[in-house]
Each structure stands twice: as structure tokens, then as C-alpha cells.
Amino acid sequence: MKRKRLALLISGRGSNMAAILAAAGPDYPAEPVLVLSNRADAAGLEVAAARGVATAVVESRAFKGDRTGFEAAMEAELAQHGVEIITLAGFMRVLTPDFVRRWEGRLINIHPSLLPAFPGLDTHARALAAGVRLHGCTVHLVTTGVDEGPILAQAAVPVLPEDTEASLAARVLAEEHKLYPAALYWLAAGRVRVEAGRAIITGVDSARVSLLNPLPRAALLSKQ
Ligand code: GAR
């Protein structure tokens, strides 16, 4: 198996990045070759370095609105490391349509909501305010629309009455750490294709369980 050379783009803590680095052993179809941050103070940089992965910083602030210049500097790093596939792992910069088109089909993102609900920021606070009973996270191929693009995989969690933004974020994040390495695996293994805007993954099982929240009384659950 020829492993795809992987860059992980981060802006902060890097816990999703760490989950992918932990999953990416010799049998994993993507080989992390670069962690690239748009901020020098991103905590994830140290985590990556401690695991022996090359790191680079392209400070977005230094480019002050010159997104093309910022992305050209990033492209230089990506080219230098021979990157073939990119994961956005808490990367908090919107990429230009040109960049996205160049990497189309090879660029994925994780977003902390069940898209298309709650694109953008503050997803957990907005889920609480909306009163939804199920919330979660989505891994999707990146297209030119922000938080759009064919969905590869989603994980759902219950929203509990006592939840705060922090408790709900933690419950979703635990699922992100399982979902992202799995979705990236399928993409890097060449098992994803897009038909009519929907991602199709070959050789996967769909979960045949449902998540009801709140739980109805047992007597109200039909026994099939
Ligand atoms: C994650 O929850 C990720 O889903 C979210 O930022 C967090 C980064 O955490 N991404 C976005 O909101 C992208 N729009 P991490 O740095 O610990 O992986």
C-alpha cells in the first residue's frame, strides 16, 4: 500500500490532529508528514513535534487580509513536504475558492455540529439555544461554500437537560476523535467517490442503531 502524504492544518489545541496522529500507524493509508499552523502559539505544534512530525507556521496575521499571499506561503510548505492530502483540524481560517479547487477531493474538514445544522462558529451554544435533543459532528469534503461539501461521516450525541456549552462540547469532541481518523482512512484508501453531491464510501457498514433522546418508556417502544 502506498500511503498518502498527509498535512494536518491546525490553529490551536490540536486534539483532532493528535487523534489522527495516534491512529496513523504503518497500516494506515495516510502518513502524517506535516502539521501546519496559522498561529505560532498553537498548542498542537508541540504535540506534533513530540511525535516526531514536521511542523511549520505560516502566520495568517502577517498577511493582513492578503489571503492569496497567505495561501501561497502555505502551498510552498505543502509542496516542500510532498503533501497529497489535507485535513483541516480546527483550522480557523476560511480558504479561498482557488485553494479549495486545487485540493478538491483531497481536502477534508471536521465541524462540530450535525451539518447542515449550525454551520459557522459557536455551534454548541447555538445547539443548546435551539433546544435540539441530538447534536454531534460531521466530517466532510471541503468545497467552496463554508461548512458545506459532501458529508463523509457523522456522529450524534444526546443533549442532556443539565448540559452547559462546555459539557456538550466535550461530549461531541470525544466523538470527533473517533470519527475523524475513520473518515480520513476511507478517503486516503481511495474508497470515497462523489455522485450528485453525495459522498459514497465503498466497503463500510452503516450503523443499524438509532439514538432516541429522551428515551421513551420501554412500553412505548415497538418490539420488532
Ligand atoms: C474542534 O471541535 C473542531 O470540530 C472545531 O474546532 C475544534 C478544534 O479542536 N472546528 C471548527 O469549528 C471548524 N469550523 P482541536 O484543535 O482540539 O482539534
Side-chain angles (χ1 to χ4, degrees):
M1 175 195 49
K2 170 93 171 61
R3 301 173 77 198
K4 294 262 165 54
R5 294 176 67 81
L6 169 72
L8 301 107
L9 271 50
I10 65 169
S11 296
R13 176 178 60 180
S15 71
N16 277 290
M17 170 210 77
I20 290 170
L21 296 185
D27 294 336
Y28 194 82
E31 177 189 4
V33 295
L34 176 66
V35 169
L36 176 56
S37 174
N38 68 308
R39 299 176 56 123
D41 62 357
L45 288 169
E46 278 179 28
V47 179
R51 292 196 75 107
V53 180
T55 62
V57 176
V58 177
E59 278 278 9
S60 46
R61 266 186 318 196
F63 289 86
K64 290 204 186 88
D66 171 17
R67 289 205 294 164
T68 307
F70 168 60
E71 289 177 356
M74 286 206 300
E75 289 278 17
E77 291 290 345
L78 296 169
Q80 195 184 326
H81 290 86
V83 169
E84 300 169 287
I85 193 166
I86 300 176
T87 60
L88 305 179
F91 183 71
M92 303 311 268
R93 278 278 165 277
V94 174
L95 297 163
T96 65
D98 279 350
F99 186 96
V100 170
R101 280 193 207 103
R102 272 198 302 280
W103 287 93
E104 193 178 341
R106 304 179 296 150
L107 172 62
I108 58 174
N109 181 44
I110 189 157
H111 181 78
S113 76
L114 292 171
L115 289 171
F118 313 121
L121 299 175
D122 300 323
T123 54
H124 308 304
R126 286 157 60 211
L128 285 174
V132 295
R133 299 299 179 130
L134 297 173
H135 183 45
C137 53
T138 303
V139 177
H140 63 98
L141 288 160
V142 176
T143 55
T144 52
V146 175
D147 297 330
E148 291 179 7
I151 290 172
L152 295 180
Q154 295 185 303
V157 299
V159 180
L160 306 181
E162 62 273 22
D163 263 331
T164 61
E165 197 179 333
S167 66
L168 183 55
R171 191 173 309 118
V172 171
L173 190 66
E175 300 307 312
E176 294 186 39
H177 296 164
K178 297 179 223 165
L179 194 71
Y180 211 0
L184 172 62
Y185 183 104
W186 295 317
L187 182 71
R191 286 164 54 178
V192 174
R193 67 179 195 278
V194 177
E195 280 178 15
R198 291 174 68 183
I200 295 168
I201 308 174
T202 52
V204 286
D205 287 327
S206 279
R208 306 220 177 251
V209 289
S210 53
L211 178 56
L212 283 67
N213 181 46
L215 269 181
R217 294 170 53 199
L220 293 177
L221 290 172
S222 68
K223 296 185 178 58
Q224 301 262 349

